[in-house]
Amino acid sequence: MKLKELICDLPVNRIIGETDVNVDYLSCQADKVRNNTMFFCINGTKVDGHIFAKKVMLEGVKVVVVERVLDLKGSVTQLVVSNSRIFMALCAKNFFKCACDKLKIIGVTGTNGKTTSVTMIDKLLTCVGFKTKTMGNIGYPVSQVALDGTKLDYAVIEVSSFQLEHTDKLKADIAVVLNLAPDHLDRYD
């Protein structure tokens, strides 16, 4: 897919470089890139993904999505956006032609029992013939499953309360709140 088609309706603050380049893969993991990958520099809690931009260029990355302009030499295109994480979700939706709109999402949150509940829901759905994956705190990272384009019927996602603060684009078909206890409430003081 051409970059200009992929981002035509997306909020980009600045484009540095060409948009008539091919994008064959999406990734936010520096060790999972190859030629014609669009790489998303995610600013995490422990590591700033921007530090991997020069490394991934050597692996054939043609486009990097950044939250600030980087001093990159060569033929890489930089897309400067407000939030790389949100932009990644929007790109994945366009890249896979809204396949996620057909996916049923089950989100499970609560103080205790999330992992057990997610595992049980996943096993039940698998037993009756649905293609599922557990994601979130257990299983696979939601972002990587989205970027891989894995075909699923259900995504069963374990989501902690602090993760809910960062999932404004995630719309669960079924939301499960198991319980609420004072554990970790100091975060909200």
Side-chain angles (χ1 to χ4, degrees), residues 39-78:
F39 181 73
F40 299 88
C41 298
I42 305 292
N43 192 6
T45 55
K46 295 183 180 174
V47 177
D48 182 352
H50 291 79
I51 67 172
F52 299 110
K54 289 182 181 176
K55 175 190 180 294
V56 299
M57 284 177 58
L58 299 173
E59 302 294 328
V61 166
K62 302 294 187 215
V63 181
V64 291
V65 177
V66 298
E67 294 178 1
R68 62 184 179 273
V69 177
L70 301 179
D71 182 24
L72 301 175
K73 307 287 188 242
S75 61
V76 69
T77 298
Q78 290 185 64

Side-chain angles (χ1 to χ4, degrees), residues 129-140:
F130 290 108
K131 187 160 173 54
T132 68
K133 251 197 207 314
T134 56
M135 299 179 213
N137 293 345
I138 63 167
Y140 297 88

Side-chain angles (χ1 to χ4, degrees), residues 28-188:
C28 61
Q29 293 180 285
D31 61 342
K32 300 233 192 265
V33 299
R34 51 189 140 179
N35 198 32
N36 294 339
T37 296
M38 174 187 263
F39 181 73
F40 299 88
C41 298
I42 305 292
N43 192 6
T45 55
K46 295 183 180 174
V47 177
D48 182 352
H50 291 79
I51 67 172
F52 299 110
K54 289 182 181 176
K55 175 190 180 294
V56 299
M57 284 177 58
L58 299 173
E59 302 294 328
V61 166
K62 302 294 187 215
V63 181
V64 291
V65 177
V66 298
E67 294 178 1
R68 62 184 179 273
V69 177
L70 301 179
D71 182 24
L72 301 175
K73 307 287 188 242
S75 61
V76 69
T77 298
Q78 290 185 64
L79 301 180
V80 184
V81 300
S82 299
N83 186 313
S84 297
R85 189 180 310 275
I86 291 172
F87 192 79
M88 178 175 64
L90 298 172
C91 279
K93 187 171 182 175
N94 283 357
F95 190 80
F96 295 109
K97 309 211 182 333
C98 300
C100 58
D101 291 342
K102 299 174 189 84
L103 176 67
K104 299 289 186 216
I105 297 174
I106 301 172
V108 179
T109 193
T111 305
N112 298 305
K114 294 183 296 292
T115 300
T116 300
S117 298
V118 164
T119 302
M120 289 173 61
I121 293 167
D122 177 68
K123 296 296 180 208
L124 286 169
L125 290 169
T126 301
C127 284
V128 294
F130 290 108
K131 187 160 173 54
T132 68
K133 251 197 207 314
T134 56
M135 299 179 213
N137 293 345
I138 63 167
Y140 297 88
V142 176
S143 58
Q144 196 56 49
V145 174
L147 296 178
D148 290 345
T150 305
K151 303 284 187 232
L152 299 171
D153 298 310
Y154 285 90
V156 187
I157 306 173
E158 178 180 330
V159 189
S160 64
S161 63
F162 68 87
Q163 289 168 319
L164 289 170
E165 296 172 16
H166 302 288
T167 56
D168 59 329
K169 301 294 181 199
L170 179 70
K171 305 292 185 227
D173 295 286
I174 300 170
V176 180
V177 179
L178 297 171
N179 49 53
L180 298 173
D183 303 23
H184 314 298
L185 287 181
D186 55 331
R187 173 180 170 75
Y188 302 100

